[in-house]
Amino acid sequence: MTDFAQAFARRTRLRGGDELTAILAGSPPGVLSMTGGFPNPATFPTDELDEIAARLVREDAAVALQYTPCAGIASVREYLAERQEQLQGRRPESGELIVTSGGMECIALTCQALIDPGDTIAVEAPTYLGALMAFAGAEADVVAIATDEDGLRVDALAERLAAGPPPKFLYTIPEYQNPTGRTLPLDRRRALVELCRRHGVLIFEDVAYRELSFDGSSLPSLWSLAPDVVLQAGTFSKSFFPGVRLGWAAGPAQVIAELAAAKQTTDQCAGGLGQRLLEEYGRAGGFERHLPAARALYASHWAALSAALTRHMPEGADWTEPAGGFLTWVTLPEELDARAMRPAAGAAGVAYVPGAPFHVGDGGRNTLRLSFSHLTETELETAVERLAGVVRGALEQAPAGPLAR
Ligand SMILES: Cc1ncc(COP(=O)(O)O)c(C=O)c1O
């Protein structure tokens, strides 16, 4: 058999491990999986989709089944612009928004448009694994900025900007962050946009979970505060359904034009059928009808998970308190290694994502990410009971904690 390894591009060795592939593949039967940030299928509006899809194929095939303009179907872009105005208080101008094939494509287009090998970009630590892999694959020099319980530490970014040449951009997820579930408060949002404006640094804002606050509230997006320095990546994967593979990029026209040009070399256009489905669903009030129930579902799942963690996890374990989204971030006693615990977790019938891959370089060994979106409340209770048993087992085997060492 011919070995093609020497033909592979350098970026294939830079991307990182197979964590995302494993998450998307799902868990074996019998394992209660808290891995993927997958929306709960109960939130999929199947009846409405059934009706709209049939109608589009019948009456709008020439548009919905055809290639579309690179930037998206004009009426869909118009709808998305109206939606930005309704939800974020600002309407993008015509060159300031394009339709993308999901949030991940927006990240990939941004890499293509902005990163030359060796360019420095900044991320919060920890951050979304898919973005980290894309940035590494683009051969960026990724610098991690410290976070605390309120998300990105703007003072740490200010120090970094004062110390050296600015990064090409800062990638940040301001609400219900992946992986920590944390949200950046308003005062930090204002300070962040002011700082980046002063230094001429583009902010790359990922709003993947923004519409899924538990109580329906939201803070101003960074893009709405500073459309001159913010590129926003949005996705309909969490609020509509991921099978549609749709999202958007909104930002300065100059940047958006480069993303649109880059899209000519990826898929050329997002799927027309999905675009028209989204537009018809949205214009008919689908989001207003369905999102409140989705928010309530995720809020009650979080309540169940939070109660189970409190009930079962051993002393020394701690976790974040998200106000929306799908994720919480667990910190275990320092002597534990969440990656090394994984086989025992699999044997006990529970799965999570270890925290280390969400970091640049080392860090996060004793952390893990839990998703509460798709297991039932009863399953979450059982899953945490199993996880707590695995943690206790690892504690018994681990060398004693720092005080005893
Ligand atoms: C923070 C964040 N950004 C982007 C994405 C990717 O979104 P999409 O499924 O639309 O590609 C995800 C998916 O989980 C995410 O969590």
Side-chain angles (χ1 to χ4, degrees), residues 267-332:
D267 60 359
Q268 299 184 340
C269 62
L273 183 57
Q275 291 188 54
R276 289 287 292 120
L277 256 180
L278 170 84
E279 182 190 355
E280 292 293 305
Y281 175 79
R283 287 198 189 279
F287 289 108
E288 288 77 9
R289 261 194 312 284
H290 288 280
L291 276 180
R295 291 192 188 107
L297 179 103
Y298 296 128
S300 84
H301 278 213
W302 163 243
L305 177 62
S306 168
L309 288 167
T310 306
R311 215 168 5 253
H312 298 297
M313 287 298 267
E315 207 169 311
D318 200 7
W319 48 91
T320 57
E321 302 269 340
F326 300 168
L327 307 167
T328 183
W329 181 248
V330 178
T331 304
L332 300 172

Side-chain angles (χ1 to χ4, degrees), residues 126-129 173 175-181 209 327 358 369:
T127 193
Y128 173 47
L129 185 53
I173 308 165
E175 42 285 298
Y176 330 124
Q177 197 241 18
N178 186 353
T180 64
Y209 294 92
L327 307 167
F358 296 92
R369 190 192 77 173

